[in-house]
Amino acid sequence: MADAALRKLTFGLLATAIPLAAIQVSLYNVDGGERAVIFSRFTGVQSKVIGEGTHLLVPFVQKPYIFDIRTRPSTITTDTGSKDLQTVKIQLRVLHHPEEKSLPSIFKNLGPDYVERVLPAIGNEVMKAVVAQYKVEELITKREAVSHQIRVALTKRASEFHLVLDDISIVDLQFTRHAS
């Protein structure tokens, strides 16, 4: 009698637990300020960007990759040379976010760590190119022009990688001792 009751209880628990576990692994959440890209083992990265909410997926076949689409700050620092061959250390603060519609392409071509791969490289490239056009004194007296030129060039370069730059500002500019 006790064995029959124990079997019924075990069967009831399994009959409840298995569907609940299947539902749990089939659901994923996309929070506010985030978007998801789905990778399927059969078809690869899907072109549709998934918005906020709770969504279904096929367990063990599909995997969601969550991207933060809110504006985030990054700092880029580089040592470069000026037109008069002085060493200049320049630091930028960049506010950026990805182009939402381009998230599948970003994931496919750059990966989930796209910001760490792209922004420092293009930031260094642009800063070195712009700073090399100015003498040390001009970097101080024409700071707005230098900042604007960096902003324009960096925004154009970042758009090639589907990054939107909301704000770019020079936060630090240091020179070698004999240049100050």
Side-chain angles (χ1 to χ4, degrees), residues 1-178:
M1 178 87 92
D3 284 343
L6 186 60
R7 269 191 237 126
K8 282 184 180 180
L9 180 63
T10 304
F11 178 75
L13 286 174
L14 286 175
T16 305
I18 291 174
L20 286 177
I23 289 172
Q24 183 180 5
V25 297
S26 299
L27 296 175
Y28 68 97
N29 286 324
V30 179
D31 295 328
E34 296 178 338
R35 298 295 179 266
V37 172
I38 303 297
F39 175 76
S40 170
R41 294 187 194 280
F42 299 127
T43 59
V45 178
Q46 295 179 355
S47 61
K48 183 179 177 189
V49 176
I50 309 297
E52 301 165 0
T54 300
H55 305 280
L56 287 171
L57 59 82
V58 180
F60 311 111
V61 174
Q62 295 177 323
K63 181 176 180 181
Y65 287 89
I66 308 294
F67 286 86
D68 187 352
I69 60 163
R70 294 173 287 211
T71 298
R72 295 184 297 164
S74 288
T75 302
I76 308 168
T77 304
T78 191
D79 290 326
T80 186
S82 64
K83 187 175 185 178
D84 53 357
L85 303 177
Q86 302 298 317
T87 301
V88 177
K89 182 176 182 178
I90 185 169
Q91 185 177 47
L92 292 181
R93 181 191 46 87
V94 180
L95 296 177
H96 59 87
H97 66 275
E99 286 180 4
E100 186 177 331
K101 65 180 171 46
S102 300
L103 286 175
S105 173
I106 290 171
F107 180 73
K108 207 180 296 183
N109 298 320
L110 302 170
D113 60 343
Y114 65 96
V115 172
E116 292 80 18
R117 289 175 174 223
V118 172
L119 209 50
I122 64 174
N124 284 331
E125 171 189 324
V126 167
M127 284 190 289
K128 286 177 188 257
V130 171
V131 170
Q133 298 173 17
Y134 294 91
K135 292 181 179 181
V136 170
E137 304 85 42
E138 293 175 327
L139 290 173
I140 296 169
T141 59
K142 298 179 180 178
R143 187 175 178 131
E144 276 301 315
V146 173
S147 181
H148 178 74
Q149 195 173 352
I150 289 173
R151 182 180 300 115
V152 168
L154 193 55
T155 300
K156 180 181 178 192
R157 193 79 171 92
S159 69
E160 297 171 16
F161 296 96
H162 308 292
L163 281 174
V164 177
L165 305 183
D166 298 317
D167 185 47
I168 301 166
S169 57
I170 298 173
V171 293
D172 192 24
L173 199 55
Q174 297 176 5
F175 312 102
T176 55
R177 286 187 189 188
H178 59 281

